[in-house]
Amino acid sequence: MKLVIIEPLGVEEDRLLKLAEEKLQDKVEIVYYDTRTTDTQALIERAKDADILAFSNLPFKKEVLEHCGKLKMISVAFTGVDHVAMDYCRERGILVCNCAGYSNTAVSELVFGLALGLYRKIIACNEAVRQEKDKTGLIGLELEGKKFGVIGFGAIGARTAMLAKAFGCEVYGFNRSPKEMEGVTMTDLDTILKECDIVSLHVPLNDSTKGLMNAEKLALMKPNAILINTARGPVVDSQALADALTGGKIAGAAVDVFETEPPVASDHPLFTCPNLIATPHVAFATKEALYKRAIIVFDNIIKYLEGEPQNVVKG
């Protein structure tokens, strides 16, 4: 069987291929591409003879998949699969497995980097000291004692809540299905938005979460509250968030994800807003997380070949 790793997976090529060979041994023929492309014809050419594909958040549409007549399995080096034509995969019987769990630590840690960045005005402080200024206007806030709301209580949300407790926050959580954690008050979405000083989003992107944070929901937040989105871009209505920031309806926001993958157009409505920190979808991207992810990619393939697939994406 032929495995095509259709784009780099964030691990040095030699290290990745050594890991692949150690894990897969002689069970598959491995073809590796060290460049990323979104060109449909180029993707077709790369993927058309594959039995198994591996890629991360590369958009993979029906227009490509319908040319992959031998394809039986996709090991997605990512948690979400909204960039894959899942309906077509189900129609064709193509098994799709993800890498849930690899970035729990990476994403949750960045949440607090962003929160501290906003609370302690780190970017403004950096600029001030370089311009021979002092701390005037740069007195910040502490996380301790603040009400911290976690929306979406999967693995990343739960770890974020754990870290929030370690910082001494009063932690609240919301999840569509019942979840519990010691020291966390589980409540409804609107209560979190009304009561919390910091709101961190950790929901998947689907029909029920797209546009979840619209103008109506943002209006529930306190004027001194901040919003952090390391989940998926379309979960937040960017124009509504821009209006809330510009109008002083909330105190700040940190955004790692957008409607499209970076590079993001410079005229994006959020980029002219006050008290905004933007990062280019890096929450998941630490050296440790990307190596963990590569291990799961190949473990998924091994389990598939052994007839006991794991991390299968359903629904």
Side-chain angles (χ1 to χ4, degrees):
M1 299 184 80
K2 180 183 286 188
L3 162 64
V4 176
I5 305 171
I6 208 163
E7 63 168 340
L9 299 182
V11 177
E12 298 88 344
E13 180 176 344
D14 290 347
R15 193 179 186 204
L16 181 74
L17 292 179
K18 181 180 178 182
L19 176 65
E21 290 168 4
E22 289 174 353
K23 289 280 186 180
L24 301 173
Q25 298 179 8
D26 58 354
K27 294 182 174 67
V28 296
E29 172 193 354
I30 300 172
V31 177
Y32 173 77
Y33 288 92
D34 62 0
T35 58
R36 178 185 171 97
T37 181
T38 57
D39 178 75
T40 298
Q41 289 305 313
L43 289 172
I44 290 171
E45 189 61 30
R46 292 183 181 190
K48 64 182 182 181
D49 294 326
D51 297 286
I52 303 169
L53 283 175
F55 53 83
S56 60
N57 61 339
L58 184 70
F60 231 79
K61 302 176 182 178
K62 177 182 177 181
E63 289 78 7
V64 176
L65 288 168
E66 62 188 2
H67 291 274
C68 302
K70 297 171 61 180
L71 187 62
K72 303 172 185 67
M73 188 260 189
I74 301 175
S75 190
V76 180
F78 222 62
T79 302
V81 294
D82 47 279
H83 57 295
V84 181
M86 290 299 298
D87 288 344
Y88 183 75
C89 289
R90 283 187 282 268
E91 178 185 322
R92 273 271 314 277
I94 299 169
L95 184 73
V96 179
C97 301
N98 70 355
C99 288
Y102 79 92
S103 63
N104 295 354
T105 297
V107 175
S108 58
E109 286 186 0
L110 184 66
V111 168
F112 291 91
L114 295 172
L116 289 167
L118 288 168
Y119 261 25
R120 299 305 300 269
K121 306 181 181 181
I122 292 173
I123 294 175
C125 285
N126 177 67
E127 292 301 315
V129 75
R130 293 171 185 272
Q131 295 171 19
E132 301 182 10
K133 297 179 181 179
D134 62 15
K135 65 180 181 300
T136 301
L138 298 174
I139 304 302
L141 298 166
E142 296 178 359
L143 288 174
E144 186 177 24
K146 299 300 185 295
K147 293 183 177 181
F148 194 107
V150 177
I151 297 176
F153 226 78
I156 295 175
R159 184 164 182 83
T160 300
M162 183 186 74
L163 293 177
K165 290 197 295 178
F167 272 102
C169 297
E170 185 179 334
V171 186
Y172 294 79
F174 166 74
N175 199 69
R176 292 186 182 275
S177 58
K179 293 286 181 73
E180 291 184 5
M181 176 183 283
E182 184 177 353
V184 176
T185 301
M186 299 303 293
T187 186
D188 60 274
L189 175 61
D190 286 1
T191 297
I192 285 181
L193 297 177
K194 291 174 183 177
E195 298 293 331
C196 287
D197 304 295
I198 304 164
V199 175
S200 188
L201 302 175
H202 298 283
V203 295
L205 178 61
N206 53 43
D207 290 342
S208 66
T209 61
K210 186 174 183 180
L212 175 69
M213 294 301 296
N214 54 24
E216 179 184 355
K217 293 300 184 185
L218 289 166
L220 297 176
M221 295 178 67
K222 301 191 293 187
N224 65 338
I226 63 173
L227 177 71
I228 300 172
N229 186 15
T230 56
R232 288 290 184 270
V235 169
V236 177
D237 181 332
S238 290
Q239 187 59 59
L241 178 57
D243 292 343
L245 289 166
T246 303
K249 296 175 182 176
I250 65 172
V255 177
D256 183 54
V257 283
F258 300 85
E259 294 81 2
T260 60
E261 283 297 310
V264 180
S266 60
D267 62 354
H268 192 281
L270 287 173
F271 293 165
T272 57
C273 294
N275 301 321
L276 175 90
I277 296 177
T279 52
H281 201 179
V282 298
F284 69 94
T286 64
K287 287 184 178 293
E288 296 90 342
L290 294 178
Y291 192 72
K292 291 177 198 173
R293 184 177 76 170
I295 291 171
I296 299 171
V297 165
F298 299 129
D299 283 347
N300 286 346
I301 293 169
I302 292 167
K303 287 293 188 180
Y304 163 70
L305 294 173
E306 291 175 347
E308 298 178 355
Q310 65 177 17
N311 297 317
V312 176
V313 179
K314 300 176 181 178

